[in-house]
Amino acid sequence: MGMRIMERFSTEAEDVARRLRDGMAGGVLSFPLTSFRDDGGLDLDSYRAYLTAQLATAPGAVFPACGTGEFFSLDEDEYRAVVTATAEIADGRLPVVAGIGYGWAQALRFARIAEEAGADALLVMPHYLVAAPQDGLVEQLRRIAAGTSLPLIAYQRGQVAFSADSLRRIADIPTVVGLKDGHSDLDRLQRLTLAAPDGFLFFNGASTAEVQARAYATVGVPAYSSAVHAFAPDIANAFFTALRDDDQERTTALLRDFYVPLVELRDRVPGYAVSLVKAAARLRGLPVGPVRAPLTDPGPDDLALLAKILDAGPQAGKTAPGAVASWAVR
């Protein structure tokens, strides 16, 4: 790591950035689901059991209470309970990066809870509702950074998209250690990676990021978050290993026979990026419960197709080259 980044980061941020960098090299980034009861209440005991099983599969880092974890539906007490449980179960073995969001004032309320709960860093999710100019996007991060000592990862998605100049400005904030990208605009992303200082972290945060992992890697962003890890860590880890080892045949088979059919089903209904993931976890016997409104759980037809996709995942690498499963989504 170059001196430029070491001088810029605070000591704590440098340590977290190093741990994240090491973790990304060895595993996917895990974004666990939050367990709810059928009546909609938080089921913390089930969450603990679920997360313990997830962490046993050796992800590179864990991001509780983020988009996949339905941060947007948690109140502050529930958020505290989820992040506390995650930090306790992780027990320092891997970085815990909690989600925060809304406007900067509300984001700081969650940031302070996460700090007290034992989180190592924060993922700053897109602010609520309004479009904003570049100066405002930068100021949002500055205000959050001024109110918490935890390292920050900015998340550009939806109405948040940083210019190269803004990337340079947020990279000058001593506790901002990286950027998660959910836009999949590789031209813009390449400009951002070129504008960033040495050692600044970038993450592929596209929905079902594996589908675009090869493309992201070409612009210098090989690390990615994996929603699939939330319900099928065996499949997620098989893909990570195939991609890391440049096993093109295995990577292509997994994309063709599992990931692309999953994405095509996901794209049928708004909100399936979370509710389909949770449904897949339930099909695999994981104690996660239903989604909370405004999300809705999949109906029987989509559940039946999802079950077929899940059955094909572990066998994807054995499918003959060029074959397409007969049940694939059309």
Side-chain angles (χ1 to χ4, degrees), residues 90-150:
D91 194 26
R93 292 174 293 157
L94 74 172
V96 174
V97 185
I100 62 172
Y102 307 113
W104 64 263
Q106 185 66 24
L108 275 176
R109 290 177 65 91
F110 284 101
R112 288 162 187 153
I113 292 170
E115 190 165 359
E116 293 168 359
D120 298 298
L122 303 168
L123 177 66
V124 183
M125 291 183 285
H127 62 270
Y128 174 69
L129 190 61
V130 297
Q134 292 294 310
D135 286 348
L137 299 181
V138 174
E139 183 62 19
Q140 166 93 338
L141 281 175
R142 283 179 176 157
R143 290 198 175 244
I144 294 171
T148 177
S149 64
L150 290 182

Coordinates of all heavy atoms in Angstrom, one line a residue, residues 90-150:
A90 N -19.7 -12.3 15.1 CA -18.4 -12.2 14.3 C -17.2 -12.2 15.2 O -16.1 -12.7 14.9 CB -18.4 -10.9 13.5
D91 N -17.3 -11.6 16.4 CA -16.3 -11.6 17.4 C -14.9 -11.3 16.9 O -13.9 -12.0 17.2 CB -16.3 -13.0 18.1 CG -15.5 -13.1 19.4 OD1 -15.4 -12.0 20.0 OD2 -15.0 -14.2 19.7
G92 N -14.8 -10.3 16.0 CA -13.5 -9.8 15.6 C -12.9 -10.7 14.5 O -11.8 -10.3 14.0
R93 N -13.6 -11.7 14.0 CA -13.0 -12.6 13.0 C -13.0 -12.0 11.6 O -12.2 -12.4 10.8 CB -13.7 -14.0 13.0 CG -13.5 -14.8 14.2 CD -14.4 -16.0 14.2 NE -15.8 -15.7 14.3 CZ -16.8 -16.5 13.8 NH1 -16.6 -17.6 13.2 NH2 -18.1 -16.1 14.0
L94 N -14.0 -11.1 11.4 CA -14.1 -10.5 10.1 C -14.7 -9.1 10.3 O -15.4 -8.9 11.3 CB -14.8 -11.3 9.1 CG -16.4 -11.4 9.2 CD1 -16.9 -12.1 8.0 CD2 -16.8 -12.1 10.5
P95 N -14.5 -8.2 9.4 CA -15.1 -6.8 9.6 C -16.6 -6.9 9.5 O -17.2 -7.6 8.7 CB -14.5 -6.0 8.4 CG -13.4 -6.8 7.9 CD -13.7 -8.2 8.2
V96 N -17.2 -6.1 10.4 CA -18.7 -5.9 10.4 C -19.0 -4.4 10.0 O -18.6 -3.5 10.6 CB -19.2 -6.1 11.9 CG1 -20.7 -5.7 11.9 CG2 -19.0 -7.5 12.3
V97 N -19.7 -4.3 8.8 CA -19.9 -3.0 8.2 C -21.5 -2.8 8.2 O -22.2 -3.5 7.5 CB -19.4 -2.9 6.8 CG1 -19.6 -1.5 6.2 CG2 -17.9 -3.3 6.8
A98 N -22.0 -2.0 9.1 CA -23.4 -1.8 9.2 C -23.9 -0.7 8.3 O -23.2 0.3 8.0 CB -23.7 -1.4 10.7
G99 N -25.1 -0.9 7.8 CA -25.8 0.1 6.9 C -26.3 1.3 7.7 O -26.8 1.1 8.8
I100 N -26.2 2.5 7.1 CA -26.9 3.6 7.6 C -27.4 4.4 6.4 O -27.1 4.1 5.2 CB -25.9 4.6 8.4 CG1 -24.8 5.1 7.5 CG2 -25.3 3.9 9.6 CD1 -23.9 6.2 8.2
G101 N -28.4 5.3 6.6 CA -29.0 6.0 5.5 C -29.9 7.1 5.9 O -29.9 7.5 7.0
Y102 N -30.8 7.5 4.9 CA -31.7 8.6 5.0 C -30.8 9.9 4.9 O -29.7 9.9 4.3 CB -32.5 8.6 6.2 CG -33.3 7.3 6.4 CD1 -33.0 6.4 7.4 CD2 -34.3 6.9 5.5 CE1 -33.7 5.2 7.6 CE2 -34.9 5.7 5.6 CZ -34.6 4.8 6.7 OH -35.3 3.7 6.8
G103 N -31.3 11.0 5.4 CA -30.5 12.2 5.4 C -29.4 12.1 6.4 O -29.3 11.2 7.3
W104 N -28.4 13.1 6.4 CA -27.2 12.9 7.2 C -27.5 12.9 8.7 O -26.9 12.2 9.5 CB -26.2 14.0 6.9 CG -26.5 15.4 7.2 CD1 -27.0 16.3 6.3 CD2 -26.5 16.1 8.4 NE1 -27.3 17.5 6.9 CE2 -26.9 17.4 8.2 CE3 -26.0 15.7 9.7 CZ2 -27.0 18.4 9.2 CZ3 -26.1 16.7 10.7 CH2 -26.5 18.0 10.4
A105 N -28.6 13.7 9.1 CA -28.9 13.7 10.6 C -29.4 12.4 11.0 O -29.0 11.9 12.1 CB -29.9 14.8 10.8
Q106 N -30.3 11.8 10.3 CA -30.8 10.5 10.7 C -29.7 9.4 10.5 O -29.6 8.5 11.3 CB -32.0 10.1 9.8 CG -32.7 8.8 10.2 CD -33.3 8.9 11.6 OE1 -33.6 10.0 12.1 NE2 -33.5 7.7 12.3
A107 N -28.9 9.5 9.4 CA -27.8 8.6 9.3 C -26.9 8.6 10.5 O -26.4 7.5 10.9 CB -27.0 8.9 8.0
L108 N -26.7 9.7 11.0 CA -25.8 9.8 12.2 C -26.4 9.2 13.4 O -25.7 8.6 14.3 CB -25.4 11.3 12.5 CG -24.2 11.9 11.7 CD1 -24.0 13.3 12.1 CD2 -23.0 11.1 12.1
R109 N -27.7 9.2 13.6 CA -28.4 8.5 14.7 C -28.0 7.0 14.6 O -27.7 6.3 15.5 CB -29.9 8.7 14.7 CG -30.3 10.1 15.0 CD -31.8 10.3 14.9 NE -32.5 9.5 15.9 CZ -32.8 9.9 17.1 NH1 -32.5 11.1 17.5 NH2 -33.5 9.1 17.9
F110 N -28.2 6.4 13.4 CA -27.8 5.0 13.1 C -26.3 4.8 13.3 O -25.9 3.7 13.8 CB -28.3 4.6 11.8 CG -29.8 4.3 11.7 CD1 -30.7 5.3 11.2 CD2 -30.4 3.2 12.2 CE1 -32.0 5.1 11.1 CE2 -31.7 2.9 12.2 CZ -32.6 3.9 11.6
A111 N -25.5 5.7 12.8 CA -24.1 5.6 13.0 C -23.7 5.4 14.4 O -22.8 4.6 14.8 CB -23.4 6.7 12.3
R112 N -24.2 6.3 15.3 CA -23.9 6.2 16.7 C -24.3 4.9 17.3 O -23.6 4.4 18.2 CB -24.4 7.4 17.4 CG -23.7 8.7 17.0 CD -24.5 10.0 17.3 NE -23.8 11.1 16.7 CZ -24.4 12.3 16.4 NH1 -25.7 12.4 16.5 NH2 -23.7 13.3 15.9
I113 N -25.5 4.4 16.9 CA -26.0 3.1 17.4 C -25.0 2.0 17.0 O -24.6 1.2 17.8 CB -27.4 2.9 16.9 CG1 -28.4 3.8 17.6 CG2 -27.8 1.4 17.2 CD1 -29.8 3.8 16.9
A114 N -24.6 2.1 15.7 CA -23.7 1.0 15.2 C -22.4 1.1 15.9 O -21.8 0.0 16.2 CB -23.5 1.2 13.7
E115 N -21.9 2.2 16.2 CA -20.6 2.4 16.9 C -20.7 1.7 18.3 O -19.8 1.0 18.7 CB -20.2 3.8 17.0 CG -18.8 4.1 17.5 CD -18.3 5.5 17.2 OE1 -19.1 6.3 16.6 OE2 -17.1 5.8 17.6
E116 N -21.8 2.1 19.0 CA -22.0 1.5 20.3 C -22.2 0.0 20.3 O -21.8 -0.7 21.2 CB -23.2 2.1 21.0 CG -23.1 3.6 21.3 CD -24.4 4.3 21.6 OE1 -25.4 3.6 21.6 OE2 -24.4 5.5 21.9
A117 N -22.8 -0.5 19.2 CA -23.1 -1.9 19.0 C -21.9 -2.8 18.6 O -21.9 -4.0 18.6 CB -24.2 -2.1 18.0
G118 N -20.8 -2.1 18.2 CA -19.6 -2.9 17.9 C -19.2 -3.0 16.5 O -18.4 -3.8 16.1
A119 N -19.9 -2.2 15.6 CA -19.6 -2.3 14.2 C -18.2 -1.7 13.9 O -17.7 -0.9 14.7 CB -20.6 -1.5 13.4
D120 N -17.5 -2.2 12.9 CA -16.2 -1.8 12.5 C -16.2 -0.6 11.5 O -15.3 0.2 11.4 CB -15.4 -2.9 11.9 CG -15.2 -4.0 12.9 OD1 -14.5 -3.8 13.9 OD2 -15.7 -5.1 12.6
A121 N -17.3 -0.5 10.7 CA -17.4 0.5 9.7 C -18.8 0.6 9.3 O -19.7 -0.1 9.8 CB -16.5 0.1 8.5
L122 N -19.1 1.6 8.4 CA -20.5 1.9 8.0 C -20.6 2.0 6.5 O -19.7 2.5 5.8 CB -20.9 3.2 8.6 CG -20.8 3.4 10.1 CD1 -21.0 4.8 10.5 CD2 -21.9 2.5 10.8
L123 N -21.7 1.4 5.9 CA -22.0 1.6 4.5 C -23.1 2.7 4.4 O -24.2 2.5 4.9 CB -22.5 0.3 3.9 CG -23.0 0.3 2.5 CD1 -21.8 0.6 1.5 CD2 -23.7 -0.9 2.1
V124 N -22.7 3.8 3.8 CA -23.6 4.9 3.7 C -24.5 4.7 2.5 O -24.1 5.0 1.3 CB -22.9 6.3 3.6 CG1 -23.8 7.4 3.6 CG2 -21.9 6.4 4.8
M125 N -25.7 4.3 2.7 CA -26.6 4.0 1.6 C -27.2 5.3 1.1 O -27.2 6.4 1.7 CB -27.7 3.1 2.1 CG -27.1 1.7 2.3 SD -28.4 0.4 2.8 CE -28.7 0.9 4.5
P126 N -27.8 5.3 -0.1 CA -28.3 6.5 -0.8 C -29.3 7.2 0.1 O -30.1 6.6 0.8 CB -29.0 6.0 -2.0 CG -28.2 4.8 -2.4 CD -27.9 4.2 -1.1
H127 N -29.2 8.6 0.2 CA -30.1 9.4 1.0 C -31.6 9.2 0.5 O -31.8 8.7 -0.6 CB -29.7 10.8 0.9 CG -29.8 11.4 -0.5 ND1 -28.7 11.4 -1.3 CD2 -30.8 12.0 -1.1 CE1 -29.0 12.0 -2.5 NE2 -30.3 12.4 -2.4
Y128 N -32.5 9.7 1.2 CA -33.9 9.5 1.0 C -34.5 10.5 -0.1 O -34.3 11.7 0.0 CB -34.7 9.7 2.3 CG -36.2 9.7 2.1 CD1 -36.8 8.5 1.8 CD2 -36.9 10.8 2.4 CE1 -38.2 8.5 1.7 CE2 -38.3 10.8 2.2 CZ -38.9 9.6 1.9 OH -40.3 9.6 1.7
L129 N -35.1 10.0 -1.1 CA -36.1 10.7 -1.9 C -35.5 11.6 -3.0 O -35.7 11.5 -4.2 CB -37.2 11.4 -1.1 CG -38.4 11.9 -1.9 CD1 -39.1 10.7 -2.6 CD2 -39.3 12.6 -1.0
V130 N -34.8 12.7 -2.5 CA -34.6 13.8 -3.4 C -33.3 13.6 -4.3 O -32.3 13.0 -3.8 CB -34.4 15.1 -2.7 CG1 -35.8 15.5 -2.0 CG2 -33.3 15.1 -1.6
A131 N -33.3 14.2 -5.5 CA -32.1 14.3 -6.2 C -31.2 15.4 -5.6 O -31.7 16.3 -5.0 CB -32.4 14.6 -7.7
A132 N -29.9 15.3 -5.8 CA -29.0 16.3 -5.2 C -27.8 16.6 -6.1 O -27.4 15.7 -6.9 CB -28.5 15.8 -3.9
P133 N -27.3 17.8 -6.1 CA -26.1 18.1 -6.9 C -24.9 17.5 -6.3 O -24.9 17.0 -5.1 CB -26.0 19.7 -6.8 CG -26.7 20.0 -5.5 CD -27.8 19.0 -5.3
Q134 N -23.8 17.5 -7.0 CA -22.5 16.9 -6.5 C -22.0 17.5 -5.2 O -21.6 16.8 -4.3 CB -21.4 17.0 -7.6 CG -21.7 16.1 -8.9 CD -21.7 14.7 -8.6 OE1 -20.7 14.2 -8.0 NE2 -22.7 13.9 -9.0
D135 N -22.1 18.8 -5.1 CA -21.7 19.4 -3.9 C -22.4 18.9 -2.7 O -21.9 18.7 -1.6 CB -21.8 21.0 -3.9 CG -20.8 21.6 -4.8 OD1 -19.8 21.0 -5.2 OD2 -21.0 22.8 -5.1
G136 N -23.7 18.6 -2.9 CA -24.6 18.1 -1.8 C -24.2 16.7 -1.4 O -24.2 16.3 -0.2
L137 N -23.9 15.9 -2.4 CA -23.5 14.5 -2.2 C -22.2 14.4 -1.3 O -22.1 13.6 -0.4 CB -23.3 13.7 -3.5 CG -24.5 13.6 -4.4 CD1 -24.2 12.8 -5.6 CD2 -25.7 13.0 -3.7
V138 N -21.3 15.3 -1.7 CA -20.0 15.4 -0.9 C -20.2 15.9 0.5 O -19.7 15.3 1.5 CB -19.0 16.3 -1.7 CG1 -17.7 16.5 -0.8 CG2 -18.6 15.7 -3.0
E139 N -21.1 16.9 0.6 CA -21.3 17.5 1.9 C -22.1 16.5 2.8 O -21.8 16.4 4.1 CB -22.2 18.8 1.8 CG -22.5 19.5 3.1 CD -21.2 20.0 3.8 OE1 -20.1 20.1 3.2 OE2 -21.3 20.3 5.0
Q140 N -22.9 15.7 2.3 CA -23.6 14.6 3.0 C -22.6 13.7 3.7 O -22.7 13.4 4.9 CB -24.5 13.8 2.1 CG -25.0 12.5 2.6 CD -26.4 12.6 3.3 OE1 -26.8 13.6 3.7 NE2 -27.0 11.5 3.4
L141 N -21.6 13.3 3.0 CA -20.5 12.4 3.5 C -19.7 13.2 4.6 O -19.3 12.6 5.6 CB -19.7 11.8 2.4 CG -20.3 10.6 1.7 CD1 -19.4 10.2 0.5 CD2 -20.5 9.4 2.6
R142 N -19.4 14.4 4.3 CA -18.6 15.2 5.2 C -19.3 15.3 6.6 O -18.7 15.2 7.6 CB -18.3 16.6 4.6 CG -17.2 16.6 3.6 CD -17.0 18.0 3.0 NE -15.9 18.0 2.1 CZ -15.7 18.9 1.1 NH1 -16.6 19.9 1.0 NH2 -14.7 18.9 0.3
R143 N -20.6 15.6 6.5 CA -21.3 15.7 7.8 C -21.4 14.4 8.5 O -21.3 14.4 9.8 CB -22.7 16.3 7.5 CG -22.7 17.8 7.0 CD -24.0 18.4 7.2 NE -23.9 19.8 6.8 CZ -24.1 20.8 7.7 NH1 -24.4 20.6 8.9 NH2 -24.1 22.1 7.3
I144 N -21.6 13.3 7.8 CA -21.6 12.0 8.5 C -20.2 11.7 9.1 O -20.1 11.3 10.3 CB -22.1 10.9 7.6 CG1 -23.5 11.2 7.1 CG2 -21.9 9.6 8.2 CD1 -24.0 10.2 6.0
A145 N -19.2 12.0 8.3 CA -17.8 11.7 8.8 C -17.5 12.5 10.0 O -16.8 12.1 10.9 CB -16.8 12.0 7.7
A146 N -18.0 13.8 10.1 CA -17.7 14.7 11.2 C -18.4 14.2 12.5 O -18.0 14.6 13.6 CB -18.2 16.1 10.9
G147 N -19.4 13.3 12.4 CA -20.2 12.9 13.5 C -19.9 11.5 14.0 O -20.6 11.0 15.0
T148 N -19.0 10.8 13.4 CA -18.7 9.4 13.8 C -17.3 9.1 13.5 O -16.7 9.6 12.6 CB -19.6 8.3 13.1 OG1 -19.2 7.0 13.5 CG2 -19.5 8.4 11.6
S149 N -16.7 8.3 14.4 CA -15.3 7.9 14.2 C -15.1 6.7 13.3 O -14.0 6.4 12.9 CB -14.6 7.6 15.5 OG -15.2 6.5 16.1
L150 N -16.2 6.0 13.0 CA -16.2 4.8 12.2 C -15.8 5.1 10.7 O -16.3 6.1 10.1 CB -17.5 4.0 12.2 CG -17.8 3.4 13.6 CD1 -19.2 2.6 13.5 CD2 -16.7 2.5 14.1

